[in-house]
Amino acid sequence: GQQVMQIPQYQHVQEGEDFTTYCNSSTTLSNIQWYKQRPGGHPVFLIQLVKSGEVKKQKRLTFQFGEAKKNSSLHITATQTTDVGTYFCAGASGTYKYIFGTGTRLKVLA
Amino acid sequence: DAGVIQSPRHEVTEMGQEVTLRCKPISGHDYLFWYRQTMMRGLELLIYFNNNVPIDDSGMPEDRFSAKMPNASFSTLKIQPSEPRDSAVYFCASSLSRTGELFFGEGSRLTVL
């Protein structure tokens, strides 16, 4: 079945450093979503990408969907302590069932 | 809007007992999803409904798990009998459309002793 992997699994950065997480699907995706989950919280929607090669920005966050629609990335510029949490991608294929990636846990050191 | 409401927030039970988790989706959302989150397996989709009808239950682990949606504003996930390996956080999420943003509830943390 469809699998969605994310790397790295964990990332510790110094406040102010950049951070990138990568998402790779075993199958071609119709679209991809990104979520953030704070420690002890629930996933919260960040963004959805639909088009091949699409790039979207939200303040310090940049999201990219690969040309082949099998991978995606999230880049955070100049991390802040409020960025702490686990970032998940969720890919939907033909069945439009969102399969969540394995997640990247970000820790920001002040 | 109050968001997706789940209950109970925490449940501790003994092996063999029946567990019922409840979810009230956001009004007007036609899609409802049940996810399970564990450290080992991450966020797994168990089942989802469209207009109260189960569409895909291929993620339900085994016959001990069952889910219902008797009306547009209520869904249950039942485990009978429960086992220690069922310990996890169970999330309910709802969505306006099949491909839309998922709105998650705060989750029900289940511990089976």
Side-chain angles (χ1 to χ4, degrees), chain B residues 44-94:
Chain B
E44 301 173 276
L45 176 63
L46 300 178
I47 185 171
Y48 80 92
F49 294 84
N50 176 215
N51 291 326
N52 314 337
V53 176
I55 302 301
D56 188 331
D57 65 354
S58 59
M60 295 287 262
E62 48 198 275
D63 292 345
R64 297 185 296 107
F65 285 68
S66 62
K68 293 182 179 179
M69 192 164 185
N71 56 63
S73 60
F74 185 64
S75 177
T76 59
L77 178 67
K78 187 175 291 187
I79 308 172
Q80 167 64 17
S82 58
E83 295 182 4
R85 60 191 168 123
D86 301 331
S87 298
V89 180
Y90 290 82
F91 287 104
C92 174
S94 69

Side-chain angles (χ1 to χ4, degrees), chain A residues 10 31 33 35 37 41-43 45 48 88 95-98 100 105, chain B residues 35 37 39 43 45 48 56 58 91 98-102 104-106:
Chain A
Y10 301 96
N31 60 62
Q33 296 178 342
Y35 290 80
Q37 184 176 21
H42 58 279
F45 176 83
Q48 176 167 287
F88 292 98
T95 60
Y96 291 97
K97 234 175 15 175
Y98 280 103
F100 276 74
R105 186 177 298 178
Chain B
Y35 282 88
Q37 186 174 40
M39 288 295 293
L43 267 165
L45 176 63
Y48 80 92
D56 188 331
S58 59
F91 287 104
R98 190 172 55 171
T99 58
E101 171 184 351
L102 296 174
F104 282 81
E106 295 190 10

Side-chain angles (χ1 to χ4, degrees), chain A residues 23 25 27-34 48-56 62-74 90-92:
Chain A
C23 176
S25 170
T27 60
T28 301
L29 302 171
S30 55
N31 60 62
I32 194 161
Q33 296 178 342
W34 284 90
Q48 176 167 287
L49 304 170
V50 178
K51 298 177 184 176
S52 168
E54 188 171 14
V55 178
K56 286 189 176 181
T62 302
F63 304 84
Q64 190 163 8
F65 202 5
E67 293 290 341
K69 300 185 78 173
K70 294 184 72 173
N71 57 74
S72 181
S73 64
L74 157 60

